[in-house]
Amino acid sequence: MRVLVVGSGAREHAIVRSLTADRDVEAVVVAPGNPGMDAVALCEPLPAGLLDGDGIVALARRHAVDLVVVGPEAPLVAGVADVVRAAGFAVFGPSAAAAMLEGSKAFAKEVMAAADVPTAMAHVCTTLDELREALDALGAPYVVKDDGLAAGKGVVVTSDRDEALAHGRRCLDKMDGRVVVEEYLDGPEVSLFCLCDGRSVIPLAPAQDFKRAYDGDTGPNTGGMGAYSPLDWAPPTMVDELVVRVAQPTVEEMARRGTPFVGVLFIGLALTPRGPRVIEFNARFGDPETQVVLARLKTPLGGLLLSAARGELDGVSPLHWTEQHAVTVVVAAHGYPGTPRTGDPVSGLEAASEVPGASVLHAGTARDHEGLLVSAGGRVLSVVAVGDSLSQARERAYRAVALIELDGSQYRSDIALAAESNELHVG
Ligand code: AMP
Ligand code: GLY
């Protein structure tokens, strides 16, 4: 099988790496990819950007691929999967209508209500008066969310009413701005990816992400600063329950509406004392969770994604996983999650990759005019390590991170620390 992957982050690098390890995959093409993927697959430029469905179709034709995998949310919400599917290709990734589960938080809430999925109580506001009323009705801590896509940065959680109001006002000021004010959910957060083919659901192993920029879950929200999997502290029945209570009813509701969901239904949830509650849906693999989930998946990825794209997940055998633990630590550029500084030399990757069990996935990297590796985005690298225990995986990941040289870079030093110290409890 020949596969085209769309995207350029460490998530896509992880997907590409798993695809190249699948014996049934003879070629992997990436558009536009990055220097890390260039070493293992053919990278093709996408001059008009990720939303250029026609450009992606042209590449799919030129390379005669059997499957197109769309990584990021922006092209999915913009309907790229529809364009590629209409051209006759099997696509792993939802239609624009189905990707609305991520593209609009208000829409996701409506589907959850219709499917009886447990989630936080919420008010959708379109005026400042409604916003004020919602804040007072739900009380502190305030959770205020931009309705649309915001690269993980549209949410403010605060006990300061003025800050909550100011964020809500900024969201309302956008064109057609809507803001969702939500009940605060208390408890550890989990990310669960479910492969969906429009009808059937296959869950992957759960992971935990670290969204805040700094140690101790402080600082602003980011796209994600690190992750680990599996979650030994989570109830053993959690995944099956989430399929029954959340994923399956959501997929059925989307099918009932005539907009079947094909791709990854990413369930972000909080395990509260009153049970699991959905925080958000995403319509794609998570970044950086994918880096740890795929590091443990032994079932060949290409066949799995093709089965989902073709509506054939019910014929797939149970998935195989390594017993090992995986940890990823994101190395971010100076200034992230604000405006990141770019163009700084990045080195030490080979030494880092020589740490047992460790590998380095690229995100915001580029080659300068001399061919040297430089930073080119906020999240620059994802350093992944597997180990026989969570402690070993952590120790290896951080040993590898310490060998990376990037001026002004930052990373969190407490990824998976609470889990390693047995400090996480449910309810
Ligand atoms: P989202 O973009 O919806 O995933 O939100 C980003 C982050 O904000 C989440 O990972 C949570 O840490 C936090 N958050 C979102 N909604 C809530 C909520 N209802 N209660 C508590 N924290 C939340
Ligand atoms: N790590 C969270 C996300 O991909 O949105």
Side-chain angles (χ1 to χ4, degrees):
M1 148 191 5
R2 305 169 61 82
V3 189
L4 171 63
V5 178
V6 177
S8 65
R11 161 184 55 208
E12 286 78 23
H13 193 175
I15 293 170
V16 164
R17 195 167 65 149
S18 293
L19 288 173
T20 55
D22 180 344
R23 273 196 245 152
D24 292 331
V25 175
E26 68 201 65
V28 181
V29 182
V30 199
N34 63 35
M37 293 189 244
D38 202 28
V40 291
L42 174 66
C43 290
E44 288 275 21
L46 209 50
L50 288 173
L51 307 192
D52 177 17
D54 294 335
I56 293 166
V57 168
L59 285 175
R61 288 209 177 106
R62 174 149 22 109
H63 293 282
V65 301
D66 306 287
L67 174 67
V68 179
V69 180
V70 182
E73 60 274 21
L76 292 167
V77 171
V80 161
D82 305 72
V83 174
V84 180
R85 215 170 262 131
F89 293 95
V91 182
F92 184 81
S95 64
M100 280 280 280
L101 281 180
E102 172 162 7
S104 164
K105 291 186 189 286
F107 175 77
K109 283 286 181 195
E110 182 196 311
V111 171
M112 284 189 252
D116 201 19
V117 166
T119 183
M121 226 177 349
H123 296 232
V124 179
C125 314
T126 51
T127 67
L128 213 48
D129 279 343
E130 286 173 0
L131 172 63
R132 286 200 189 94
E133 269 173 42
L135 291 175
D136 293 335
L138 290 172
Y142 305 101
V143 181
V144 182
K145 304 186 172 186
D146 195 337
D147 180 52
L149 287 188
K153 297 167 198 161
V155 178
V156 162
V157 181
T158 177
S159 294
D160 179 344
R161 191 175 180 281
D162 290 340
E163 190 189 343
L165 195 60
H167 178 66
R169 189 193 298 258
R170 274 193 299 275
C171 303
L172 287 177
D173 282 347
K174 293 186 187 172
M175 211 189 347
D176 298 325
R178 285 201 293 186
V179 54
V180 179
V181 179
E182 224 173 67
E183 165 198 13
Y184 177 79
L185 297 175
D186 196 17
E189 285 181 38
V190 171
S191 300
L192 180 69
F193 303 158
C194 293
L195 304 180
C196 305
D197 68 357
R199 288 173 299 131
S200 303
V201 171
I202 297 184
L204 302 184
Q208 195 172 42
D209 176 24
F210 293 75
K211 286 225 167 73
R212 299 288 187 136
Y214 312 128
D215 280 3
D217 289 329
T218 57
N221 268 325
T222 69
M225 294 298 287
Y228 68 95
S229 183
L231 310 179
D232 282 350
W233 51 269
T237 54
M238 179 184 78
V239 170
D240 290 344
E241 278 173 21
L242 290 171
V243 169
V244 172
R245 289 296 315 275
V246 179
Q248 198 65 54
T250 300
V251 165
E252 278 163 23
E253 174 63 18
M254 294 303 283
R256 198 186 61 75
R257 291 173 180 233
T259 51
F261 190 95
V262 177
V264 178
L265 178 65
F266 166 160
I267 306 170
L269 60 131
L271 301 182
T272 78
R274 288 175 297 133
R277 295 282 184 278
V278 175
I279 289 184
E280 63 167 351
F281 283 143
N282 293 314
R284 44 147 181 109
F285 281 110
D287 187 347
E289 295 95 319
T290 301
Q291 291 86 303
V292 286
V293 171
L294 294 188
R296 298 186 56 247
L297 179 66
K298 288 209 286 198
T299 302
L301 186 65
L304 206 49
L305 301 187
L306 187 61
S307 298
R310 287 181 171 162
E312 296 169 356
L313 277 185
D314 54 0
V316 168
S317 332
L319 304 185
H320 292 288
W321 299 90
T322 73
E323 292 295 313
Q324 288 197 302
H325 294 250
V327 172
T328 188
V329 178
V330 169
V331 178
H334 181 82
Y336 182 77
T339 308
R341 195 171 76 200
T342 58
D344 287 309
V346 189
S347 62
L349 278 66
E350 275 184 24
S353 311
E354 280 166 17
V355 171
S359 54
V360 180
L361 300 172
H362 291 230
T365 65
R367 299 258 173 222
D368 70 3
H369 56 280
E370 289 171 8
L372 292 175
L373 195 67
V374 294
S375 60
R379 293 189 290 178
V380 180
L381 301 168
S382 264
V383 177
V384 187
V386 293
D388 294 336
S389 62
L390 187 59
S391 309
Q392 189 182 49
R394 270 196 93 228
E395 187 276 321
R396 289 172 165 182
Y398 279 109
R399 188 149 34 107
V401 165
L403 294 165
I404 305 272
E405 287 172 50
L406 168 59
D407 191 35
S409 65
Q410 29 155 349
Y411 58 87
R412 276 186 62 163
S413 66
D414 63 349
I415 303 302
L417 180 61
E420 185 193 48
S421 317
N422 293 318
E423 283 167 12
L424 280 172
H425 302 284
V426 180

